Structures are given as C-alpha cells and as structure tokens.
Amino acid sequence: MPIDPAPGGAVRTWRCGRHRLALERMHLMGVLNVTPDSFSDGGRHAGPGAALEHARRMVDEGADIIDVGGESTRPGAPPVPADEELARVLPVLRALRDLPVPVSIDTSEPRVMQAALDLGVSIINDVRALRRPGALDVALASPDCGVVLMHMAGEPATMQRAPYYADVVPEVIDWLARRRDAVCAAGVAAERIAVDPGFGFGKTQGHNRQLLAGLARLQALGQPVLVGLSRKSTLGELTGRPVTERLPASLAAALIAAQSGARIVRVHDVGATRDALAVWAAVDADRRAAAGGQ
Ligand code: 9MG
C-alpha cells in the first residue's frame, strides 16, 4: 500500500512545547530511568538529586532531549500502578525544570502525562502510541507538546512470547501511518509527531534486523523517525555481550540509524554517541556536497 506523508508534506521541524527541533541534523535523546528495575540502569538515578546530576552530565555531553521514565518497558516487566509511577517521576521532573533542553516523559499513563506537562515537560514519549483511554485527550488538550508514537505488538509483559509478521517492515510502516493519521485526524498537528518502529517491542531478533535493514523506508511517512536500540538485547544477541558491554554495538546501531535518515536516537551513552555521529555527519555533509548539495 502506498504511504502518504501527513497533509502539509514532510515535517522539517519537530514542534515540542516551547522548543523547535530542526531536523537537518540528528538529535540525541538521553535516557534517564527512574525505575528500580530498568534493564540497563535500574535504580541508579532514582532520587531527584542523582537524576539531576545525571541529566546535567548528559546535556554537557550533547543531549538534545532528556527522556524520563518511571515504568520499565523491558520484556516481561510487570505494569506499575499510576500512583507509583507518579511518585517516581514527579520529584525528578520538578528537579529538571530549569534544564536548557526539552524533557520528555516516557509513559503511557494519561495521569502521568498530564502531571508531567503541568511541570513543563515538552514531549510525550509513549511506547503505546497514545492508545490507552484518555492518552490522546491529554495530547489534544496540550496545544503544542511533541508526541512520539511507537510501534509495539502486544504488551511488555507478554510481547516476546511469539511475535509474528508476514513482512515486518511494511507492516510496521503501515501501522505507524494509520496511527499517525488517526492522531492527526483527532487534532494533533503533524509537526508535533515523531514515529518509532519500536525495536525489541514484540519483535524477534530477525524482525529487529529486518527493521534496521529497512529503516530508510520509514522516511516515506514524512515524520521525524526516532530509534531506540541502545544496549538492547538484540545487540547482545548479535555480539554475545552483556548489557554493560554493549557500547560499541550501540554506536554501530546509532550510525546505521543516522545513515537511514533517523533524526532522533534514544541513547544511554550520550558523549560516545555524539562523537560517533559527529564523524558520520561530517562525512555525510562532504558526500552531499560532492553530489551537488542533495
Ligand atoms: C521507553 N523506551 C524504551 N525503548 C524505547 C524505544 O525504542 N523507543 C522509544 N520511543 N521509547 C523507548
């Protein structure tokens, strides 16, 4: 099925609250988990003081966005009650209020979204793509916040049991196009929306590899593409490395994402990713210049 960009054509600037992210270059979303059980850094940044320190370090290293999450979405993770999620993220969001970069809230829970927006958060990063009852209403009521719509088959607790696709790349693109169209039709401007294929969310190793190989095809959607592969188990399976030793594989994944046209990468290791992408960006600019500025 042919995929159309949203009305108005390809999005060139991502609108995120009072921020505007120009999409000529790659942007780094630094991960700030405030969960006791996240797969790669659970519990390390749980208090507001430690979280602020880590966020500032990521900004110094080049983070363009700080993504705060209070519910682990790793495969098999149990759901967290909304009150518990609020108790984890609100003190941290208060501490981050004066950061110079946009803060995103990684949540699917409408109450958490609303409370985060009230504290000045600029982006809703929802692995369930605003499908929980009330979530779309929160995005609609805030006239300007950015929104990440991610593809996920199933729920974190069960999604890795038997993921099946006849052809994963077109199916994920088609799903994202439909979700983007539904969210736009409800009244969210296309310039507020980024899309994400959801690596590791209801996908086998083969699916993840096919998606990475076909990532450039998501450009047809005309939305900024966000990729999250940092330290994920699919990289562990490819390299045989535990989560603490996946930096080289994560850098390789970020470079493939950049080469495929992604404009936001969600990463744990901001400084190292920035350096790797700086080399890629310089060579990419030279290559474009040699090709006549395309
Ligand atoms: C919260 N979270 C964990 N992995 C993610 C990914 O790949 N993309 C997005 N948008 N969020 C993620």
Side-chain angles (χ1 to χ4, degrees):
M1 186 187 113
I3 301 292
D4 295 324
V11 174
R12 305 207 180 283
T13 303
W14 188 22
R15 244 168 74 189
C16 303
R18 63 183 191 282
H19 301 272
R20 300 286 178 271
L21 302 188
L23 300 168
E24 289 92 52
R25 67 169 179 90
M26 179 65 109
H27 291 78
L28 296 174
M29 175 186 263
V31 178
L32 185 58
N33 283 322
V34 291
T35 57
D37 62 341
S38 220
F39 81 104
S40 79
D41 55 1
R44 284 184 48 216
H45 316 298
L52 177 60
E53 195 183 322
H54 186 57
R56 282 196 180 132
R57 191 174 329 123
M58 289 196 284
V59 172
D60 288 347
E61 289 177 357
D64 299 288
I65 303 166
I66 300 295
D67 189 42
V68 177
E71 180 185 33
S72 174
T73 50
R74 71 182 156 72
V80 174
D83 286 338
E84 173 65 25
E85 201 184 336
L86 283 166
R88 289 178 188 173
V89 299
L90 292 190
V92 171
L93 294 176
R94 272 187 212 108
L96 301 189
R97 272 182 119 162
D98 294 329
L99 278 188
V101 301
V103 172
S104 63
I105 180 73
D106 150 23
T107 189
S108 299
E109 173 53 44
R111 279 172 59 206
V112 178
M113 291 174 187
Q114 188 59 63
L117 292 171
D118 292 344
L119 284 173
V121 159
S122 300
I123 300 168
I124 299 171
N125 173 25
D126 186 359
V127 299
R128 293 177 183 80
L130 303 179
R131 285 178 293 153
R132 270 208 186 143
L136 181 55
D137 296 331
V138 175
L140 283 169
S142 154
D144 239 14
C145 71
V147 170
V148 180
L149 301 177
M150 198 195 80
H151 176 274
M152 172 166 62
E155 281 292 314
T158 53
M159 65 192 176
Q160 291 308 106
R161 279 191 194 152
Y164 172 80
Y165 305 83
D167 193 350
V168 67
V169 177
E171 284 175 45
V172 167
I173 294 174
D174 188 50
W175 189 96
L176 287 171
R178 285 170 197 269
R179 194 65 199 136
R180 184 271 318 271
D181 290 346
V183 168
C184 283
V188 176
E191 301 79 47
R192 295 171 55 192
I193 298 174
V195 294
D196 181 338
F199 285 99
F201 286 85
K203 283 130 192 146
T204 63
Q205 168 75 345
H207 297 142
N208 289 320
R209 281 173 63 179
Q210 287 171 52
L211 271 175
L212 197 50
L215 192 62
R217 292 162 65 186
L218 271 72
Q219 297 304 305
L221 291 162
Q223 304 297 144
V225 172
L226 188 153
V227 165
L229 269 162
S230 176
R231 299 185 188 173
K232 282 194 177 166
S233 62
T234 190
L235 303 179
E237 283 175 46
L238 282 169
T239 57
R241 300 285 180 191
V243 70
T244 50
E245 295 172 18
R246 293 182 191 158
L247 175 58
S250 301
L251 297 178
L255 292 171
I256 296 169
Q259 186 66 34
S260 306
R263 281 296 172 261
I264 309 119
V265 277
R266 184 177 179 276
V267 298
H268 300 83
D269 302 287
V270 172
T273 312
R274 190 203 52 187
D275 287 357
L277 288 172
V279 175
W280 170 83
V283 174
D284 187 56
D286 292 347
R287 203 186 285 134
R288 283 170 194 273
Q294 292 149 26

